[in-house]
Amino acid sequence: MTRSNEIKTINCTSCGAGLDIFGGGRVEVHACGYCGSVLDAQDNYQVIKKYAHLTRPASPFSIGMSGIVQGVEFTVIGTLGYEESWGRKFWTWTEHQLFSPTHGYAYLTVERGHLTFTRKYRKSTRPNWVSSRTVEAAESRPVAFSSDDRYQYYDTSTSKLTFVEGEFNWRPEIDRTATSVNMMSNDAMLSFSETATEREVHRTVYLPFQETCASFGLKDAQPPADTHRLMPYKRGLNEVFLRSASLNFAAITLVLLVILLLQSKGTEIAQEQFLARNLPAEFTFEIDRPGRLARIDLSADVNNSWAYFDLSLSDANDAPVFEAGRTVEVYSGRDSDGPWTEGRNQTSIIFMPETAGTYTLEVGSSESDGRGSPNGLAFGRVTVRISEGIATLRWMLGLTLVFAGIAAYQIARPLLHSRRRWWGSDWTNEDD
């Protein structure tokens, strides 16, 4: 029986089914998809083996499809199913043997919807070979070099062949296992694969999903949602703008925040001190800058006690501005860890005066804990300070954090993507 690179059909020598030939003159076997017979393409398609009741792996690609991969037209000539297990976990994927009359044989792999392209690697590597024993004996993550690329150890996998159909330039056998030490660079993976009889090095790269599927005539294929270890980082549509703009705005708001911080204390315009026995008491102060925040600071000399103060403020027209209550408390002591203190002897109220003029503040003490004091009072005196023209930092600080967070996320996106790529590595930090 003659063979050529032109498409033709033969009849399976086991079941008589018509089988298309796409794979060129170096095809060694042809596995019949109807009866499971593996035919010797170099010896008139005599039956070598027969596999019955094999489960076809999932894949949107089928034998006979043609498409462009890396600028070269390839035809799908075979389908392989693989399985890997570890404990109770199972991983499956599908490999399609590809053929090009000008570029020979390669593999298109479908794994969780991701597409990768694999070819035998003919260039030299340093070291020449990396085995599982090399990895086990390594004290730090193994590294391999080839040309100008640096590959770091990713994982070691042992796969088993579970399905075969179509043409192949080698002889696949069901249940055959292969151990691969996989080394990854920024955009490719080198696999040092070893079976019971041979060793090979393969190089794998990631394929763009939509472009590849469209080339093979697959219009409705759904792209994968997760991250593949070889998936390149895809920059967002407005990523550069968002990063630059958020960094600029973060810098501007940070400068404004520093300015506000320098102005936040404002100007002290009044101070008064009262003895505890003279409360309630009132005093007046002048507001010269209405429309800007003012602050009342109240402090008392409490010690291992607390006191509650009533505060009432009226404006220049004797209209009430607010009525409020504040508590000050301070406790201290010593335990097995040493001395400790908690609480503050100071509290404050911020308000917005709407008009200029003379304001009246009334201070009273309605409750206190003076059980440890000789006169039954929790404090001896209270001091009140009034400041105007203060600045609040809350909103500007919030804006600074928001813009800084946006910038940090845009900067971190490539790093997060790289981290997701390496999540599946079986090399742990303890190994380094």
Side-chain angles (χ1 to χ4, degrees), residues 158-208:
T158 300
S159 59
K160 180 176 69 173
L161 186 63
T162 60
F163 180 85
V164 57
E165 178 186 4
E167 301 172 87
F168 302 93
N169 65 336
W170 57 289
R171 301 196 173 204
E173 297 181 6
I174 297 299
D175 293 331
R176 189 194 76 154
T177 61
T179 299
S180 298
V181 174
N182 302 306
M183 316 280 287
M184 190 164 71
S185 68
N186 290 332
D187 58 0
M189 179 168 283
L190 283 185
S191 296
F192 297 83
S193 301
E194 185 174 11
T195 67
T197 58
E198 60 184 354
R199 288 180 170 182
E200 290 182 337
V201 180
H202 294 90
R203 186 176 186 269
T204 302
V205 296
Y206 194 83
L207 293 179

Side-chain angles (χ1 to χ4, degrees), residues 111-112 114 116 141 150-155 182-190 203-206 226-234 412-427:
E111 181 183 5
R112 306 191 322 275
H114 298 277
T116 57
R141 188 188 292 268
R150 180 177 184 268
Y151 298 83
Q152 298 184 78
Y153 173 77
Y154 185 83
D155 68 357
N182 302 306
M183 316 280 287
M184 190 164 71
S185 68
N186 290 332
D187 58 0
M189 179 168 283
L190 283 185
R203 186 176 186 269
T204 302
V205 296
Y206 194 83
D226 61 350
T227 301
H228 188 273
R229 56 188 175 275
L230 288 178
M231 181 183 289
Y233 175 68
K234 185 177 182 180
R413 283 188 63 191
L415 301 177
L416 293 173
H417 176 79
S418 176
R419 184 176 181 181
R420 286 193 293 268
R421 291 181 61 213
W422 287 93
W423 272 349
S425 174
D426 60 18
W427 187 271

Side-chain angles (χ1 to χ4, degrees), residues 333-390:
R334 178 181 292 273
D335 56 21
S336 59
D337 296 326
W340 58 268
T341 60
E342 63 180 14
R344 295 186 63 195
N345 67 345
Q346 180 177 321
T347 186
S348 62
I349 297 177
I350 294 177
F351 66 98
M352 176 74 76
E354 297 181 356
T355 60
T358 303
Y359 282 68
T360 302
L361 177 67
E362 182 178 344
V363 181
S365 177
S366 59
E367 298 179 72
S368 64
D369 178 14
R371 288 173 293 178
S373 174
N375 58 7
L377 297 175
F379 61 97
R381 65 190 65 195
V382 57
T383 302
V384 179
R385 293 180 176 86
I386 310 297
S387 301
E388 68 174 354
I390 69 171

Side-chain angles (χ1 to χ4, degrees), residues 278-427:
N278 294 334
L279 296 180
E282 65 179 35
F283 79 102
T284 60
F285 56 89
E286 297 292 326
I287 290 293
D288 298 325
R289 291 188 282 180
R292 298 189 63 180
L293 294 175
R295 184 179 64 242
I296 300 172
D297 294 312
L298 183 148
S299 61
D301 54 352
V302 294
N303 184 21
N304 281 324
S305 58
W306 60 270
Y308 181 84
F309 295 93
D310 295 306
L311 301 172
S312 177
L313 181 67
S314 301
D315 64 12
N317 299 318
D318 204 26
V321 178
F322 67 78
E323 292 183 358
R326 289 291 187 272
T327 299
V328 293
E329 56 184 337
V330 173
Y331 297 95
S332 62
R334 178 181 292 273
D335 56 21
S336 59
D337 296 326
W340 58 268
T341 60
E342 63 180 14
R344 295 186 63 195
N345 67 345
Q346 180 177 321
T347 186
S348 62
I349 297 177
I350 294 177
F351 66 98
M352 176 74 76
E354 297 181 356
T355 60
T358 303
Y359 282 68
T360 302
L361 177 67
E362 182 178 344
V363 181
S365 177
S366 59
E367 298 179 72
S368 64
D369 178 14
R371 288 173 293 178
S373 174
N375 58 7
L377 297 175
F379 61 97
R381 65 190 65 195
V382 57
T383 302
V384 179
R385 293 180 176 86
I386 310 297
S387 301
E388 68 174 354
I390 69 171
T392 180
L393 307 178
R394 182 184 305 171
W395 296 109
M396 192 58 64
L397 177 60
L399 284 175
T400 302
L401 293 176
V402 168
F403 288 127
I406 295 174
Y409 175 70
Q410 297 301 326
I411 294 172
R413 283 188 63 191
L415 301 177
L416 293 173
H417 176 79
S418 176
R419 184 176 181 181
R420 286 193 293 268
R421 291 181 61 213
W422 287 93
W423 272 349
S425 174
D426 60 18
W427 187 271

